[in-house]
Amino acid sequence: MAAVPALDTARVIQVPQPYLLFLGHAQETTFMKTALGLRDWAHNLCIGEYRCDSTKVSIGLPYLDPASAYRAGARSLVIGVASIGGAIDERWIDYLVRALEAGLDIVSGAHSRLSSSPILKNTADRLGRALIDIRVPPAGIPVATGRKRSGKRLLTVGTDCALGKKYTALSLQRQFQARGIDADFRATGQTGILISGAGIPIDAVVSDFVAGAAEMLSPDAAEDHWDVIEGQGSVFHPSYAGVSLGLLHGSQPDVIVLCHEAGRERIVGLESYRTPSLPEAIDLTERLARLTNPKVRCAGVSLNTSRLPEPEARQLLREVGVSLNLPVADPMRPGHELDRLVDACLA
Amino acid sequence: MAAVPALDTARVIQVPQPYLLFLGHAQETTFMKTALGLRDWAHNLCIGEYRCDSTKVSIGLPYLDPASAYRAGARSLVIGVASIGGAIDERWIDYLVRALEAGLDIVSGAHSRLSSSPILKNTADRLGRALIDIRVPPAGIPVATGRKRSGKRLLTVGTDCALGKKYTALSLQRQFQARGIDADFRATGQTGILISGAGIPIDAVVSDFVAGAAEMLSPDAAEDHWDVIEGQGSVFHPSYAGVSLGLLHGSQPDVIVLCHEAGRERIVGLESYRTPSLPEAIDLTERLARLTNPKVRCAGVSLNTSRLPEPEARQLLREVGVSLNLPVADPMRPGHELDRLVDACLA
């Protein structure tokens, strides 16, 4: 029996949980995608919200100052709002220093590094707190070796970006756990890292090391353990296919689940490019994946039907399932179809 | 008629030519791969060699001090030797300062940046010289758009790393020019950048931007102009396939030439992985390339026969050509086969 799977903590971003969500000085919630995502998808990780005194905006969590949040269990302050230009806004600094003094680490998905603020850097150094940039991959990621690892792996893949690969992986990991199966969610993007508390922002890794990063993210594990890995992009995306292929090869999935959004016929932002048909997407992804795992199989399709009313969505899931002769489910709609997809993943 | 193709000089590494090659203090030529490669493949760019006083090692070029080299036309000193650990050796600094003072820029392929030496940085700043790290991609590379560009493109692709993609591209570009065709070599690796004087080290680009870098590297051009693009890695390499796919998609090749080494059955360094068969390599690469250029075609195979004597090499080229029903040539062996391959590229 192999050891319990352990990530190399020096080479994977780690984020202490739970969180106090910082909303900045904005007067509206438009730029609070990170805060809203965490509130909706990881509600139990969100102890409260905090903001500059100049605003009264709220996302519906209890207001807590950093000291109260720390006493309530919070261990990180997550900057849940994007500034214009992607930097750390000068007006936030006093509030962030207060968080460090209260015992919280600070977590940012901004382009500029937290440590580029001398005040934050000096305060964190003095108090022994961490400034965690979840857009910045850890140093020392090796080139992939292609060595077969123990344990089982599932990777969500897609016909395009932004159509449900992260939530499909989260949902399947929870379904696996509900059946008593030891399963970890492995995060490859910022929101996934915040939800799971660890991971690597795979699209920010230098291209030579993408497959190596994927290998590190799902290390050797017990034979009955599942890593459920968050996919990125699509091998059919003219901008990002290389990222997706490196992740596919390094993940060595035993099972892939193809993610698609009902009705999406064009690559978002590149309207001259069509999304592939589902059979074509399955065929090419399996063919590419066989390089590092000849036994890979597509267990089914995760179809995002969020734009459809319930009866139409259920009917579409059935119809697509019949036409592909595969389980087709929307993880946001529990029921018979999802049970079948989980069965097929674990078969 | 489109404008003459112009690289965005702010976003592509530019290296002033010709060169003075610096050999450091080594007592033997083992670590002088860069210097030897330039001497052998870009002899006309190498004005002379220069070295620390403590050594007498030579690669057979005229010895020139920096001032003499500058007067003879040199515009850059290229560090042609690798140090242990990949940094700039302290013992080289005086010699490099002398080169800056003589009017030469300094070019390095080392891991550590030239500007991390305060003496070099201050001297270069004071004199207005450039410190050029050809391992470091330029800033501001955009995400690929997938937009079809004007002009014609050829990309060399491979069954593995290190088997002749760069020299095949260089050779084909020269063959094209010999036929009066306007053609540029587009470099994607360090040696290629030194040979051509410009390019992007594609494997050092953050993965999200690899296809975008490839788009920048072969901009819109006249319809009868050819960019001959240096391939990297292989879509069959478990460590680097993502790099190769991003380069393939961003390059939008009209023509691919598959590069292979005769007798190489295993991926170098990953002995459990087989190299693909040539038909499989052609089929998958064409399929992947069709995403951004539906008209892509494989014109033939560049077969590295350097380990075979001439008669056996010629026989193998004929046999493989018959079995694939495609032109198969070794660019290092001019003759009928190479002419056929060039014909097929331009057909």
Side-chain angles (χ1 to χ4, degrees):
Chain A
M1 172 101 176
V4 171
L7 291 177
D8 182 340
T9 54
R11 288 174 166 176
V12 169
I13 293 173
Q14 304 269 340
V15 190
Q17 296 178 328
Y19 304 137
L20 177 64
L21 302 183
F22 181 64
L23 309 180
H25 62 281
Q27 302 298 330
E28 31 148 335
T29 59
T30 313
F31 295 104
M32 297 184 185
K33 194 179 137 191
T34 300
L36 294 169
L38 283 172
R39 181 198 65 183
D40 293 345
W41 295 100
H43 200 270
N44 60 321
L45 296 176
C46 303
I47 295 278
E49 63 181 49
Y50 181 50
R51 57 180 165 256
C52 298
D53 296 334
S54 59
T55 179
K56 292 280 173 241
V57 78
S58 169
I59 60 167
L61 295 171
Y63 175 89
L64 292 174
D65 64 61
S68 307
Y70 186 87
R71 283 195 301 274
R75 289 299 173 263
S76 299
L77 176 143
V78 174
I79 299 178
V81 59
S83 71
I84 308 295
I88 303 298
D89 195 290
E90 283 295 313
R91 288 167 285 187
W92 303 348
I93 298 288
D94 284 351
Y95 299 87
L96 301 179
V97 166
R98 227 168 289 165
L100 292 169
E101 289 171 341
L104 301 174
D105 292 337
I106 296 181
V107 183
S108 164
H111 277 291
S112 64
R113 297 193 184 208
L114 285 163
S115 60
S116 66
S117 157
I119 301 177
L120 290 183
K121 181 166 188 337
N122 293 340
T123 308
D125 286 350
R126 176 168 56 81
L127 298 169
R129 307 276 180 269
L131 300 176
I132 303 165
D133 293 298
I134 55 176
R135 254 185 215 265
V136 181
I141 294 173
V143 167
T145 67
R147 181 183 66 78
K148 180 88 178 90
R149 305 190 294 288
S150 56
K152 302 221 166 9
R153 286 166 191 82
L154 182 153
L155 174 69
T156 55
V157 300
T159 57
D160 191 4
C161 295
L163 43 63
K165 289 183 290 289
K166 173 173 58 259
Y167 294 125
T168 299
L170 282 165
S171 169
L172 289 173
Q173 182 244 359
R174 288 171 188 180
Q175 295 282 334
F176 286 12
Q177 286 189 321
R179 295 190 183 196
I181 289 162
D182 189 19
D184 281 307
F185 169 77
R186 298 303 192 189
T188 60
Q190 292 185 61
T191 306
I193 291 168
L194 287 171
I195 292 174
S196 74
I200 299 177
I202 205 90
D203 58 5
V205 173
V206 167
S207 62
D208 245 7
F209 304 101
V210 167
E215 290 187 348
M216 276 187 2
L217 193 61
S218 67
D220 281 306
E223 280 308 336
D224 58 353
H225 175 274
W226 282 85
D227 269 342
V228 183
I229 304 160
E230 175 192 3
Q232 291 291 336
S234 166
V235 293
F236 294 90
H237 196 295
S239 313
Y240 306 121
V243 183
S244 306
L245 184 59
L247 178 59
L248 181 66
H249 282 162
S251 296
Q252 303 178 350
D254 303 283
V255 167
I256 55 174
V257 171
L258 177 65
C259 302
H260 181 61
E261 184 183 29
R264 190 183 296 192
E265 295 183 353
R266 301 280 166 180
I267 299 287
V268 168
L270 300 173
E271 298 297 313
S272 65
Y273 285 90
R274 298 190 69 87
T275 52
S277 74
L278 299 180
E280 186 192 357
I282 292 169
D283 181 69
L284 181 60
T285 310
E286 282 185 342
R287 180 173 175 182
L288 293 167
R290 279 197 290 271
L291 180 75
T292 57
N293 189 344
K295 293 184 179 168
V296 63
R297 62 189 171 84
C298 177
V301 172
S302 168
L303 192 62
N304 178 340
T305 60
S306 57
R307 299 185 189 209
L308 298 178
E310 176 79 5
E312 288 179 37
R314 294 284 175 192
Q315 188 182 343
L316 185 67
L317 295 175
R318 276 191 301 274
E319 287 173 4
V320 178
V322 167
S323 78
L324 294 175
N325 196 25
L326 278 176
V328 175
D330 184 335
M332 300 299 134
R333 299 184 194 269
H336 170 66
E337 295 90 356
L338 187 56
D339 293 341
R340 274 192 66 215
L341 179 59
V342 175
D343 291 344
C345 291
L346 298 172
Chain B
M1 174 101 177
V4 172
L7 292 177
D8 181 339
T9 53
R11 288 174 166 175
V12 170
I13 293 174
Q14 304 269 341
V15 191
Q17 296 179 329
Y19 304 137
L20 176 64
L21 302 184
F22 181 65
L23 308 180
H25 61 281
Q27 303 299 331
E28 31 151 332
T29 59
T30 312
F31 295 103
M32 297 183 185
K33 194 179 138 191
T34 300
L36 295 169
L38 284 173
R39 180 198 67 184
D40 293 345
W41 295 99
H43 200 271
N44 60 321
L45 296 177
C46 302
I47 295 280
E49 62 181 50
Y50 181 50
R51 57 179 166 256
C52 298
D53 297 333
S54 59
T55 180
K56 292 279 172 241
V57 77
S58 169
I59 61 167
L61 296 173
Y63 176 89
L64 292 174
D65 64 60
S68 308
Y70 186 87
R71 283 195 301 274
R75 289 299 173 262
S76 298
L77 175 143
V78 174
I79 299 178
V81 58
S83 70
I84 309 294
I88 303 299
D89 195 290
E90 284 294 314
R91 288 167 286 187
W92 303 348
I93 297 288
D94 284 351
Y95 299 87
L96 301 180
V97 166
R98 228 168 289 165
L100 292 169
E101 288 171 342
L104 302 173
D105 292 336
I106 296 181
V107 183
S108 164
H111 277 292
S112 64
R113 298 192 182 207
L114 286 163
S115 60
S116 66
S117 157
I119 300 176
L120 291 182
K121 180 166 190 338
N122 292 341
T123 308
D125 285 350
R126 176 168 56 82
L127 299 170
R129 307 276 180 268
L131 301 175
I132 302 165
D133 293 299
I134 55 176
R135 255 185 215 267
V136 181
I141 295 173
V143 166
T145 66
R147 181 182 66 78
K148 180 88 179 87
R149 305 191 294 287
S150 56
K152 301 219 167 10
R153 286 167 189 81
L154 182 153
L155 175 69
T156 55
V157 301
T159 58
D160 191 3
C161 295
L163 42 63
K165 291 183 288 290
K166 173 174 58 256
Y167 295 125
T168 299
L170 282 165
S171 168
L172 290 174
Q173 182 245 0
R174 288 170 188 181
Q175 295 282 334
F176 287 11
Q177 286 190 322
R179 295 190 182 196
I181 288 162
D182 187 19
D184 281 308
F185 169 76
R186 298 303 192 190
T188 60
Q190 292 184 63
T191 306
I193 291 168
L194 288 171
I195 292 174
S196 74
I200 298 176
I202 205 90
D203 59 5
V205 173
V206 166
S207 62
D208 245 8
F209 304 101
V210 167
E215 290 187 348
M216 275 185 5
L217 193 60
S218 67
D220 281 307
E223 280 309 336
D224 57 354
H225 174 274
W226 282 84
D227 269 342
V228 183
I229 304 161
E230 175 192 5
Q232 291 292 336
S234 165
V235 293
F236 294 91
H237 196 296
S239 312
Y240 306 121
V243 183
S244 307
L245 184 59
L247 178 59
L248 181 66
H249 282 163
S251 296
Q252 305 178 349
D254 303 284
V255 167
I256 56 175
V257 171
L258 177 66
C259 302
H260 181 61
E261 184 182 28
R264 190 183 296 192
E265 295 184 352
R266 302 280 167 179
I267 299 287
V268 168
L270 299 173
E271 298 298 312
S272 65
Y273 285 89
R274 296 190 70 87
T275 53
S277 74
L278 299 180
E280 187 192 355
I282 292 169
D283 181 69
L284 181 59
T285 309
E286 282 185 341
R287 180 173 175 181
L288 292 167
R290 279 196 289 272
L291 181 73
T292 58
N293 189 345
K295 293 182 178 167
V296 64
R297 63 190 169 85
C298 177
V301 172
S302 168
L303 192 63
N304 179 341
T305 60
S306 57
R307 299 184 189 210
L308 297 178
E310 176 78 5
E312 288 178 38
R314 294 284 174 192
Q315 189 181 342
L316 185 67
L317 295 175
R318 277 191 301 274
E319 287 174 3
V320 178
V322 168
S323 78
L324 294 175
N325 195 26
L326 277 176
V328 175
D330 184 335
M332 301 299 134
R333 299 184 194 269
H336 171 68
E337 296 91 354
L338 186 56
D339 292 341
R340 274 193 66 216
L341 179 58
V342 175
D343 290 343
C345 291
L346 298 172

